[in-house]
Amino acid sequence: MIYLDNAATSWPKAPGVAEAITRFLTDVGANPGRSGHRLSIEAARMVSTVRELTAGLFGSPDPLRVVFTLNVTHAINVALQGVLRPGDHVVTSSVEHNSMIRPLNALREAGISFTAVACASDGSLDPADIEASITPATAMIALTHASNVLGTLLPAERIGALARERGLLFLLDAASTAGCVPIDIVADNIDLLAFTGHKALLGPTGTGGLVIGERVNPARIRPVFQGGTGSRSATESQPPFLPDLLECGTLNTTGLAGLGAAFAWINATGIHHIQNTCRTHTRLLLERLQAIPGVSVYGPRDASLQTATVSFNIQGMSPSRAGQLLDERFGILCRVGLHCAPRAHTTIGTFPHGTIRFSPGVFSAQDEIAIAADAVECLNREARCE
Amino acid sequence: MSEQSVILFPTSAHVMRAEKLLKEAGLSSRLIPVPRHLSSDCGICLVVPTCESAGACALLEEKRVDYDTVAEIPAQ
C-alpha cells in the first residue's frame, strides 16, 4: 500500500504521537483548568506546553494568543465570525477551500460581502489583483497559503505587507502549509493564522487552532461559542480574555497530547528539512507525470512554487475511475474529485469532474512515488487503448 | 508577616505561562488550588515566597501575563 493522500490527512503520524496519546489517556486523562488536583495540573501543563510550542513554531511572541480549535475550518469560522461586522468587505482568492468560501457566503446574510480574486490557471495570484479589489469597506484579506488542489503557494509575505500598508487584517489559512512551509506571523504580517494539526503538522485529527496577532484586540472579537472555561465561574458571560474568550468546553486534550509530540518531532527535524524532503518528492512526481503523453498536470509544475500536492488527469479516464483503479489494482491511495474547492477547479477548467491528486508526505519514499507514476503510466496506456 | 503569597490569574492558561516564565527566571513557585476565601473560581494559582512576589509580578507585567490578585497566605 502506498499512501499519497497526505493533503487530506497525513499518515503515518510523527514518531511519538501515538505513544503520547496513549500515555495521556493512561497516566493523566484529567480535565485541564477545571480542578486543582495533580492530574488536572498535569493536563493543564501539557496543554500549556503545546500552546508554547505552537507559538514558537509560528513566531508568535504571546502563547496566550494561541486558541485551540478542532481543525482549521473551526478556526476560520471563529476568525471570520468573530472579527467581521455588518458592512465589512473581504478580499479572498478563487482557489479557496470551502472552509473559507462557505463561511464567507453565509456571512452575506449578515451584510458582509467578499470578492474572490481570480487566480491564474496555475493557481498563482498576483498581489496587484488583490490590491485592485480593495474598497473603502474592505476590512480583511483572507487567503489560503496554498491551494489544496494544485499545491500552488500564494504570496503570503507580499499580501501580508500589503494588508499592513492598507490597514487591513490578514487572515491566512495555513491548512496546507503549517508544518512544511516556514511561517512567521510577525515577519509575514499575519493577524490571524488558522491551522490544523492533522495534515503537515503530523498530529491527530481533531486538533488545530487560531494564532491571534497583536493588532487584533480581543475586546473586538465576538465569540462564536460560549460556555464553561474553568475561569470567572461566578459570571454567566464569556470571559473577555484570551484564550478563554474563544476556547470553551473541554479541550481535545488527547489530541493535543499527540500534537505536542508531533511539534517536538518537527522541531527536532526542522521545517526546512521537511520542506526540502517534500520538494524532492514533488520534483520526482512532476517529472514522471509530465513525461506521460495523455496526462495533464495542473498547477505551477515547479517544486519550489508549490507544496507536495500534484493534481492531474488521465485523458479518457474519469478521476473517480482512476482513483478506484489506483486503489484496487495498485494499492495507491489518493484523492480524486473536487477536493472541497469547486472554485479552484473552475479556475483551472476541471469543474465538475475534478482531478486526481497525489500528495506525498515527509515519510513517503522515492520508490513509492516511482511506483505510483508507473501505475499512472499503466492506466494511461489502457485509457488510450480503450 | 506571612512568608508566602499567592498570585491569582484569570485562567489556568495564564497560570501555566506564569509558572514557566518564573521558572526560567530562576524564581521559585508552586501550584495550589485557588483558596476559597480569595476567589470563587475553580482552578489553580501560584504560590511564591512573599519576598519574591514583587519581582515575580514585575516579570509577569513585563511579559504581559495578566494576573488578578496577590495576597499573603499563612505558611503551609
Side-chain angles (χ1 to χ4, degrees):
Chain A
M1 188 176 74
I2 295 174
Y3 187 81
L4 294 180
D5 198 16
N6 288 274
T9 196
S10 57
W11 189 79
K13 299 302 179 186
V17 169
E19 291 82 354
I21 289 171
T22 302
R23 200 163 48 244
F24 182 82
L25 284 173
T26 308
D27 299 341
V28 185
N31 202 328
R34 266 53 173 183
S35 314
H37 58 72
R38 71 188 72 179
L39 290 184
S40 176
I41 289 172
E42 189 65 25
R45 198 171 270 136
M46 179 278 291
V47 171
S48 177
T49 300
V50 184
R51 217 183 284 285
E52 301 264 351
L53 287 168
T54 306
L57 192 72
F58 298 127
S60 167
D62 187 356
L64 297 173
R65 283 176 167 261
V66 173
V67 171
F68 290 122
T69 62
L70 294 176
N71 47 51
V72 76
T73 301
H74 180 179
I76 290 171
N77 274 272
V78 166
L80 293 175
Q81 295 183 47
V83 170
L84 296 171
R85 295 290 180 272
D88 283 349
H89 172 253
V90 177
V91 180
T92 187
S93 84
S94 73
V95 294
E96 299 301 316
H97 191 276
N98 273 339
S99 59
M100 183 72 81
I101 291 296
R102 285 180 175 173
L104 283 174
N105 265 323
L107 283 168
R108 285 181 192 274
E109 285 182 22
I112 293 157
S113 60
F114 74 93
T115 302
V117 173
C119 294
S121 59
D122 63 356
S124 62
L125 177 68
D126 185 346
D129 292 338
I130 291 281
E131 187 163 24
S133 298
I134 295 171
T135 73
T138 304
M140 177 189 283
I141 300 174
L143 281 187
T144 185
H145 196 182
S147 162
N148 69 305
V149 174
L150 306 165
T152 316
L153 286 161
L154 301 196
E157 285 174 50
R158 292 173 64 191
I159 302 291
L162 169 67
R164 190 59 53 100
E165 185 189 312
R166 300 294 292 265
L168 308 175
L169 290 177
F170 181 34
L171 164 62
L172 189 69
D173 164 8
S176 302
T177 54
C180 62
V181 176
I183 296 171
D184 186 309
I185 67 159
V186 175
D188 300 341
N189 294 305
I190 300 163
D191 298 302
L192 296 151
L193 178 77
F195 70 94
T196 196
H198 72 102
K199 296 184 193 263
L201 284 172
L202 306 173
T205 48
T207 58
L210 185 66
V211 185
I212 299 170
E214 300 284 332
R215 287 202 316 155
V216 181
N217 180 359
R220 278 195 37 79
I221 305 176
R222 192 176 44 217
V224 175
F225 301 103
Q226 291 84 23
T229 57
S231 56
R232 298 286 191 267
S233 294
T235 63
E236 293 186 339
S237 54
Q238 197 67 7
F241 45 79
L242 293 170
D244 294 23
L245 173 69
L246 302 177
E247 205 177 72
C248 54
T250 298
L251 286 169
N252 176 13
T253 45
T254 309
L256 290 174
L259 185 62
F263 276 128
W265 185 86
I266 286 170
N267 284 336
T269 306
I271 292 266
H272 286 100
H273 177 76
I274 293 169
Q275 187 177 34
N276 284 337
T277 303
C278 291
R279 278 182 177 163
T280 304
H281 295 333
T282 309
R283 214 169 282 126
L284 176 61
L285 190 52
L286 287 169
E287 189 185 298
R288 289 291 311 273
L289 293 178
Q290 287 186 104
I292 307 172
V295 167
S296 304
V297 181
Y298 307 100
R301 288 166 285 191
D302 179 337
S304 66
L305 300 177
Q306 65 185 98
T307 61
T309 292
V310 177
S311 259
F312 63 96
N313 269 323
I314 299 169
Q315 198 181 338
M317 185 178 286
S318 70
S320 57
R321 177 74 179 145
Q324 184 189 353
L325 293 173
L326 284 165
D327 183 2
E328 289 176 358
R329 281 176 45 192
F330 300 95
I332 293 162
L333 313 185
C334 64
R335 185 170 173 189
V336 297
L338 294 176
H339 316 99
C340 299
R343 278 179 193 246
H345 288 279
T346 306
T347 302
I348 64 172
T350 51
F351 188 87
H353 299 296
T355 56
I356 307 158
R357 185 184 72 180
F358 279 1
S359 52
V362 67
F363 300 122
S364 300
Q366 289 273 284
D367 62 346
E368 290 182 316
I369 290 164
I371 291 167
D374 290 344
V376 174
E377 268 179 2
C378 182
L379 292 182
N380 181 60
R381 268 195 306 274
E382 291 177 12
R384 288 161 77 98
C385 291
E386 279 172 6
Chain B
M1 191 180 188
S2 151
E3 294 173 352
Q4 293 188 314
S5 294
V6 290
I7 308 177
L8 272 54
F9 293 86
T11 181
S12 66
H14 289 63
V15 180
M16 293 300 161
R17 173 90 177 127
E19 184 195 34
K20 177 176 183 285
L21 292 170
L22 295 185
K23 188 176 177 187
E24 285 172 358
L27 294 167
S28 57
S29 70
R30 65 190 172 89
L31 298 168
I32 63 164
V34 173
R36 278 305 123 192
H37 70 284
L38 292 176
S39 168
S40 59
D41 273 356
C42 18
I44 46 181
C45 61
L46 276 183
V47 181
V48 298
T50 297
C51 60
E52 290 181 5
S53 66
C57 290
L59 176 73
L60 296 175
E61 284 163 26
E62 180 197 327
K63 299 289 186 183
R64 297 166 63 189
V65 179
D66 293 338
Y67 56 90
D68 286 336
T69 316
V70 183
E72 292 184 3
I73 58 168
Q76 293 181 353

